[in-house]
Every structure is written in C-alpha cells, then in structure tokens.
C-alpha cells in the first residue's frame, strides 16, 4: 500500500520539506540524504504528488500563519484578525496554525506549510523559539518569513517586527510617579517566561524616578489555565497579598480583564479608585472606556503591527532575497481616570 509524504518523512526522521526537495523541489540537501529518501520511496512505494511539483517555481497564492488566534490574554487575537483581513484583501488563502509553546510543534507546522508550497509564513514567537537551530534551518528554506517578537533575535534569518512593550511599561511607572504614588505594585504570574522581564522594566523605571523598592512591588499570581480563570486568579492574588488593609497605592495588571477584577475587589472593600489606589490594565479592551472609572491601559498598536507584517510580506513575495529587515512597534500607555 502506498504511503504519503508525511509518512515517508516520519520513517526517515526528516522534514516533509526534505522529501519534497529530494524529488525536485527547489532547495539544498546532501546527496546522501537524497539517496536515502529515494531508496525509502522505492521500498515503501511512495509516489510524489506531481500536481504539487508542477506548482514549484510559481506562486500558490497561499500564506501560512502561526499565531495566538485563541489568546487567553486578549492581546494577539485583534492583530491576527487585522492580518487576516489584509492578506485576504490581497486574494491570498491563509492556512492557520494555533501557536504552541513547544518549538518542535512549531517546526512541524512550518514543515507542513513548506510541503504545501506557501508563498510566505507569518509567525508570533518568543526569542528562544526564534533561536532554535531546527527552526532556523526551516526558515532559511522558506521563500519569505516574517516573525513578530518582543525583541530582536540577531540569528533569525527572516524579517522581524519587534513588538516592544517596555516603553509602555515605563510609561505606566512614570505616570504613577508623577501622580505621587509611592508604593506601586505589578500583578503577574512570575513563572511565565516573559513576565520577569516585564517586572524588571517596571521596577527599574520606578527606581529611576525615585520610587523605592518595597515588599509588595510584585504581586505574584497563579497562571490561569482558561479564560474564565483570568479574573479569579487576579482576585485570589489580591486577597492573598492583602488579607487586611491595602498597603499599596497603585496596581498595574498586564491585562485588562485582570484589572477589571482587581477594581471590583477593591471597590467591594470600599477602596476608592483612583483616590486610594490607582489601577492600570493593558491591551485596551473595548470595555475599558465603559468601566467606572474608565480603565487606564496599554495600546498594543494592533494596526501598526499588522501593517508592517503586510508590507514586509508583499515586499518579499514581489522581490525575494536581500538582507532581513527589522521594524519596531512601540506599545503606548493610555491615561484614563482609574489611574489619575
């Protein structure tokens, strides 16, 4: 019984892309690897898809996206929707893969897209994923790749849109300082890989502006496993850290949903916002303007990120090659009454 490309790749412990190249697709593999693929193909009666082979060297009008389409923290989903709208506006069919924390799963997703001969790939990733050797090799073989990451990764061979959050975090700390706050706090799950650097930016800016460290500057919380747990985890953290009187005068949550629950818990205790405790969230949830008081927040600049991704993709598809580009989008603090 004949087998398919995925199965022959699994037998040989190589990527589907390698199998594709062995049968004539553009790309580079060693002659030894090519020979092993051909021999295995004969043994297992594998026959390459000649229709797909005929597409090589031409565009397929397809783009693959690896992204947080279902995002617990409601930060990446609006960017994904904007990108989809833009790319489909160029008459591209889009393959969607939900971002997985395991880089090996991401590599399999990229391999799958390469086997489908996509014209380009877009991916959300963290720095450690973009430095993975296998991922780098796959990206080098792709026609065009644009990654969105919180910081630049010099080794990454594709284009990167740096989605910088530190500026906005420093702006929150600065706003707390100019409004006279002396004991601000940030509520975070410190076990999550990216969160210690968020707190570091907040803490360093506070210190630079003359706000001293104090024991409650970081309010560690448990990681929510489902969207329904986001608010509960914030509420639990407030109750655990402050079983009695509140001894901070500002709280910064890197998520608006969490900030809503913090505000509700404080108001249930009779704490006045912002007179007693200022509160800021992040992500600019549409409900923030309607909250009482309206929630200060952070603007992730969704449209700017999507615009840069679109520009880079269209440029690479029209004119492949050239040095990788780096573009930067800075998130910004939005001042509202909850933090005045």
């Amino acid at each position: 019984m004949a087998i398919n490309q995925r199965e022959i790749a699994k037998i040989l412990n190589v990527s589907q892309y390698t199998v594709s190249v062995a049968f004539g697709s553009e790309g580079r593999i060693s002659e030894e690897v090519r020979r092993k693929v051909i021999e295995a193909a004969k043994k297992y009666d594998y026959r390459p898809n000649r229709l797909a082979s005929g597409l090589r060297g031409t565009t397929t009008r397809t783009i693959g996206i690896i992204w947080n389409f279902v995002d617990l923290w409601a930060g990446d989903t609006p960017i994904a929707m904007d990108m989809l709208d833009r790319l489909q506006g160029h008459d591209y069919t889009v393959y969607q893969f939900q971002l997985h924390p395991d880089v090996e799963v991401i590599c399999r997703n990229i391999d799958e897209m390469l086997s489908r001969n996509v014209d380009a790939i877009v991916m959300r990733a963290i720095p450690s994923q973009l430095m993975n050797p296998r991922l780098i090799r796959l990206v080098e073989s792709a026609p065009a790749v644009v990654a969105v990451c919180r910081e630049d990764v010099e080794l990454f061979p594709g284009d990167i849109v740096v989605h910088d959050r530190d500026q906005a975090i420093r702006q929150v700390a600065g706003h707390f300082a100019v409004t006279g706050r002396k004991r601000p706090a940030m509520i975070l799950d410190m076990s999550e890989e990216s969160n210690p650097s968020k707190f570091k930016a907040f803490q360093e800016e506070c210190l630079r502006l003359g706000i001293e460290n104090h024991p409650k500057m970081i309010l560690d919380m448990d990681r929510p496993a489902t969207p329904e747990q986001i608010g509960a985890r914030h509420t639990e953290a407030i109750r655990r850290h402050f079983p009695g009187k509140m001894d901070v005068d500002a709280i910064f949550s890197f998520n608006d949903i969490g900030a809503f629950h913090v505000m509700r818990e404080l108001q249930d205790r009779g704490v006045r916002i912002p007179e007693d405790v200022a509160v800021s969230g992040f992500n600019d949830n549409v409900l923030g303007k309607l909250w009482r008081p309206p929630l200060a927040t952070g603007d992730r600049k969704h449209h700017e990120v999507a615009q840069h991704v679109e520009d880079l993709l269209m440029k690479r598809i029209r004119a492949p090659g050239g040095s990788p580009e780096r573009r930067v989008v800075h998130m910004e603090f939005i001042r509202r009454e909850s933090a005045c």
Side-chain angles (χ1 to χ4, degrees):
M1 180 179 178
I3 63 175
N4 60 31
Q5 186 185 78
R6 185 192 299 273
E7 292 167 332
I8 197 74
K10 185 176 181 180
I11 290 170
L12 294 170
N13 194 28
V14 298
S15 69
Q16 292 184 67
Y17 166 75
T18 298
V19 176
S20 179
V21 171
F23 283 95
S25 181
E26 293 183 3
R28 292 179 295 178
I29 59 174
S30 70
E31 285 305 313
E32 181 182 0
V33 171
R34 188 186 304 275
R35 178 181 55 78
K36 289 182 178 179
V37 172
I38 299 299
E39 288 178 354
K42 292 178 180 178
K43 178 179 179 180
Y44 294 101
D45 194 24
Y46 167 68
R47 296 181 178 86
N49 186 327
R50 296 302 176 188
L51 175 60
S53 298
L55 292 173
R56 295 178 185 116
T58 66
T59 61
T60 59
R61 306 298 301 177
T62 60
I63 290 176
I65 301 182
I66 303 173
W67 202 267
N68 279 323
F69 291 98
V70 182
D71 179 14
L72 295 185
W73 298 97
D76 274 350
T77 301
I79 302 175
M81 297 302 101
D82 196 337
M83 288 193 302
L84 285 172
D85 185 59
R86 291 169 184 270
L87 297 178
Q88 290 170 346
H90 289 282
D91 294 324
Y92 278 93
T93 297
V94 179
Y95 297 120
Q96 301 175 36
F97 294 82
Q98 175 66 18
L99 179 63
H100 195 281
D102 186 345
V103 71
E104 290 303 316
V105 175
I106 296 174
C107 288
R108 289 199 295 271
N109 294 156
I110 295 174
D111 187 31
E112 171 69 20
M113 287 186 278
L114 292 175
S115 73
R116 297 185 185 191
N117 299 296
V118 296
D119 295 334
I121 296 171
V122 181
M123 59 187 299
R124 164 68 88 176
I126 58 176
S128 61
Q129 292 167 340
L130 296 187
M131 291 186 284
N132 178 270
R134 183 186 174 201
L135 186 145
I136 288 175
R137 289 194 298 272
L138 288 168
V139 169
E140 287 174 338
S141 67
V145 178
V146 178
V148 178
C149 186
R150 66 175 183 260
E151 60 189 60
D152 187 18
V153 176
E154 187 176 353
L155 294 176
F156 185 71
D159 298 320
I160 296 180
V161 177
V162 178
H163 199 193
D164 172 57
R165 65 201 180 190
D166 287 356
Q167 172 179 286
I169 293 173
R170 290 192 294 268
Q171 289 172 343
V172 173
H175 180 72
F176 287 162
V178 299
T179 53
R181 309 294 169 171
K182 301 298 184 183
R183 292 179 61 82
M186 191 172 187
I187 183 168
L188 284 171
D189 162 30
M190 291 296 280
S191 68
E192 201 277 323
E193 180 181 355
S194 67
N195 283 345
S197 63
K198 295 175 187 174
F199 176 65
K200 181 181 178 183
F202 179 75
Q203 182 184 45
E204 288 179 348
E205 187 66 7
C206 286
L207 292 172
R208 189 185 72 82
L209 296 171
I211 299 175
E212 297 181 359
N213 269 325
H214 60 89
K216 296 293 179 66
M217 185 169 275
I218 178 64
L219 307 177
D220 195 11
M221 58 172 272
D222 295 329
R223 179 72 175 173
T226 67
E228 292 76 15
Q229 291 181 356
I230 293 174
R233 292 292 182 261
H234 279 74
T235 301
E236 290 166 4
I238 294 297
R239 292 175 179 174
R240 183 173 69 254
H241 289 286
F242 306 106
K245 182 180 178 181
M246 299 290 298
D247 59 351
V248 297
D249 55 14
I251 296 176
F252 175 27
S253 167
F254 207 71
N255 176 266
D256 284 344
I257 297 174
F260 293 151
H261 284 259
V262 168
M263 291 174 70
R264 185 176 67 181
E265 174 66 18
L266 298 186
Q267 289 168 335
D268 286 348
R269 295 183 179 203
V271 176
R272 298 174 302 165
I273 301 171
E275 293 86 353
D276 300 327
V277 178
V279 178
S280 177
F282 214 83
N283 295 338
D284 196 17
N285 188 291
V286 293
L287 296 177
K289 295 178 182 179
L290 304 177
W291 216 252
R292 289 293 177 266
L295 178 64
T297 188
D299 181 358
R300 286 182 173 268
K301 300 292 183 180
H302 302 145
H303 297 304
E304 289 187 23
V305 173
Q307 179 67 63
H308 281 301
V309 169
E310 178 189 21
D311 288 346
L312 288 168
L313 283 178
M314 295 305 106
K315 177 180 177 180
R316 292 298 178 195
I317 291 172
R318 288 192 299 266
S323 300
E325 286 193 35
R326 300 295 188 259
R327 300 190 184 179
V328 181
V329 176
H330 298 287
M331 304 180 199
E332 291 185 357
F333 173 60
I334 300 175
R335 175 179 174 175
R336 293 196 187 121
E337 286 89 331
S338 70
C340 289

